[in-house]
Amino acid sequence: MSPRPVAWKTRRDMDDELQEIYDELVRRNPGQEEFHQAVREVFDSLHPVIDHHPEFLRDGLIQRLLEPERQLMFRVPWADDDGEVHVNRGFRVEFNSALGPYKGGLRFHPSVDLGIMKFLAFEQTLKNALTGMPLGGAKGGSDFDPRGRSEAEVMRFCQSYMTELYRHLGEHTDVPAGDIGVGTRELGFLFGQYKRITNRYESGVLTGKGVGWGGAHVRSEATGYGAVFFLAEMLAVDQQSLDGRVCLVSGSGNVALHAIDKLQQLGARVVACSDSDGVAHDPDGIDIELLRRIKQVERGRVADYVDERDSATLEPAGSIWQLECDVAMPCATQNELDDDDATALVDHGCTAVVEGANMPTTAKGIDVLQKAGVAFAPGKAANCGGVATSALEMQQNASRDSWSFTHTEARLAEIMARVHQECRETAQECGANDDYVVGANVAGFQRVAAAMHAMGLI
Ligand code: GLU
């Protein structure tokens, strides 16, 4: 399935036929900028594949690949602790099932709308394909804001959300997991309600479960750890390591926490992390145990970390990329690193940017970094360790088995090394040496497109 090597034009050259398809996509999906952006990035990578596989342009294959198989939107009513009723909007975009059951996380955040869900589900489809595991692509969630909500309110919301969604799920149909605002606690409430409604202990219907009730070791750590394993592979290409590297990690949620932890285990020093209210700058290196307690036990903010840590200062929100570093890992949310941020990183000597979040760098930001020779790993490749470990959780659930932490972490490291290698080889075959964006997009796209082509007009 590998495309033959072709002379690389420029990554921003889009094939004429793809341009027409893209224009139509923008026309038919007005206002969904993030979805347009995610598709555009893939199309910019595709012309060597289209040159070699003209069949992918036939039978509307690309148009079908861009149209979600099913888009669910539903009412989620719930009552807060004072009895006041709230109505949120629930989503599940089942984007593509050519390679396996729909798979992807749930995001609870006020910014969630259909466009955000579609961009995430599209990215997830190609990311899941890139893992080489039998997974389709989906994303779901709600515009519910968990911030400041009591545990009882979060539980009632999760129960109401699942009361509608359960009919669309199943271990062979659609398997959600966590994302922003949805962690082990929320997955517990969701799984409990699914089990109650269906009267089935169907472990494989959700991933990211607690280790004591069907969850896999390493699943919580996997996205952050995997991104760092990917970074270590990138550095190893130039015989470099993480030892002594100064790193910035944006965010302070599940992905960021575990990225920081693994970076420091491998000898790097993480000098900043953030949330939407500010940046904790800690030149001595983030105290991971303190941050973990504040974020995960007390559900606090990075300002609370700064209060308790003498070596740290609180900087304005959004200023993290102005700090000096060798490596930057955006692990917060989409479009958090733009061209100005990229320019600041380059000016301050950053040599590698690895995306732990989904599409955190804008298109212009990626251009600035790549033109300056900064090694850049897109989220599709770098953060696929989370969903890959979800597939390992599904394997364990299917065989009613439970693997050790060490064994599972070794499997994750192996997967990340394989994905890294495949991105490099695919980029080389496309004549786009060292371009991980091209490698990830082409490798993921080819797998989905080939399966769809084989299955006929569906
Ligand atoms: N939300 C994660 C992602 O963006 C994980 C999805 C999953 O495990 O299904 O890849």
Side-chain angles (χ1 to χ4, degrees), residues 247 249 251-253 256-257 260-261 264 269-275 277-315 320 323:
C247 305
V249 176
S252 48
L257 274 177
I260 295 170
D261 194 9
Q264 301 200 143
R269 183 158 48 97
V270 181
V271 297
C273 65
S274 63
D275 60 24
D277 297 331
V279 173
H281 181 208
D282 190 348
D284 284 1
I286 298 286
D287 176 341
I288 186 68
E289 287 316 320
L290 176 61
L291 185 65
R292 208 193 295 278
R293 167 166 65 74
I294 286 169
K295 294 298 300 188
Q296 293 192 321
V297 182
E298 295 162 13
R299 296 188 180 266
R301 312 288 294 165
V302 299
D304 302 319
Y305 173 88
V306 172
D307 280 348
E308 290 199 36
R309 176 94 168 150
D310 290 344
S311 54
T313 53
L314 189 66
E315 308 296 336
I320 190 165
L323 299 169

Side-chain angles (χ1 to χ4, degrees), residues 103-107 120 124 127-128 139 175-180 207 219 223 358 383-384 386-391:
K103 183 82 195 87
L106 302 176
R107 176 176 292 193
L120 288 164
Q124 195 82 46
K127 174 185 356 189
N128 293 2
K139 205 84 185 190
V175 183
D179 196 82
I180 295 172
T207 60
R219 177 61 193 88
T223 311
N358 292 314
N383 76 33
C384 77
V387 75
T389 308
S390 280

Side-chain angles (χ1 to χ4, degrees), residues 98-101 103 123-137 380-381 383-392 394-395 411-412 414-423 426 439-440 442-448 451:
L99 295 174
K103 183 82 195 87
E123 288 265 311
Q124 195 82 46
T125 298
L126 299 187
K127 174 185 356 189
N128 293 2
L130 190 57
T131 65
M133 306 175 99
L135 302 169
K380 234 176 253 131
N383 76 33
C384 77
V387 75
T389 308
S390 280
L392 301 182
M394 292 161 77
Q395 284 180 29
R411 291 283 306 265
L412 169 64
E414 236 171 64
I415 292 166
M416 297 315 295
R418 181 162 44 73
V419 170
H420 173 265
Q421 188 61 21
E422 187 174 2
C423 289
T426 308
V442 170
F445 171 85
Q446 286 198 126
R447 268 204 189 111
V448 181

Side-chain angles (χ1 to χ4, degrees), residues 130-338:
L130 190 57
T131 65
M133 306 175 99
L135 302 169
K139 205 84 185 190
S142 174
D143 56 0
F144 170 70
D145 186 358
R147 210 169 143 182
R149 290 290 167 198
S150 70
E151 183 142 320
E153 289 173 326
V154 170
M155 181 176 75
R156 283 198 294 278
F157 177 80
C158 288
Q159 290 176 338
S160 182
Y161 179 87
M162 185 54 92
T163 300
E164 176 58 34
L165 190 65
Y166 86 94
R167 72 195 78 238
H168 303 288
L169 305 183
E171 63 177 319
H172 301 294
T173 310
D174 186 350
V175 183
D179 196 82
I180 295 172
V182 178
T184 313
R185 177 182 70 170
E186 290 72 21
L187 287 162
F189 298 146
L190 291 162
F191 185 71
Q193 185 73 349
Y194 181 86
K195 186 172 79 61
R196 185 181 186 201
I197 296 174
T198 60
N199 193 32
R200 282 163 64 86
Y201 203 105
E202 191 185 337
S203 293
V205 73
L206 291 179
T207 60
K209 300 178 295 296
V211 172
W213 43 278
H217 284 293
V218 194
R219 177 61 193 88
S220 316
E221 294 83 355
T223 311
Y225 276 22
V228 176
F229 291 149
F230 195 94
L231 165 63
E233 295 287 332
M234 287 166 82
L235 294 174
V237 171
D238 295 324
Q239 285 81 46
Q240 293 178 10
S241 81
L242 274 163
D243 199 30
R245 303 268 160 182
V246 175
C247 305
L248 306 174
V249 176
S250 66
S252 48
N254 186 52
V255 180
L257 274 177
H258 294 111
I260 295 170
D261 194 9
K262 185 53 79 179
L263 284 166
Q264 301 200 143
Q265 284 176 28
L266 296 178
R269 183 158 48 97
V270 181
V271 297
C273 65
S274 63
D275 60 24
S276 52
D277 297 331
V279 173
H281 181 208
D282 190 348
D284 284 1
I286 298 286
D287 176 341
I288 186 68
E289 287 316 320
L290 176 61
L291 185 65
R292 208 193 295 278
R293 167 166 65 74
I294 286 169
K295 294 298 300 188
Q296 293 192 321
V297 182
E298 295 162 13
R299 296 188 180 266
R301 312 288 294 165
V302 299
D304 302 319
Y305 173 88
V306 172
D307 280 348
E308 290 199 36
R309 176 94 168 150
D310 290 344
S311 54
T313 53
L314 189 66
E315 308 296 336
S319 67
I320 190 165
W321 311 123
Q322 307 300 319
L323 299 169
E324 280 187 22
C325 69
D326 301 310
V327 174
M329 292 189 66
C331 295
T333 195
Q334 64 270 2
N335 291 329
E336 55 162 307
L337 197 166
D338 65 12

Side-chain angles (χ1 to χ4, degrees), residues 8 11 45 370 376 423-424 427 432-440:
W8 196 247
R11 208 164 61 75
S45 300
Q370 289 189 323
F376 176 80
C423 289
R424 279 193 72 76
N433 285 356
D434 299 331
D435 190 331
Y436 289 97
V437 177
V438 170

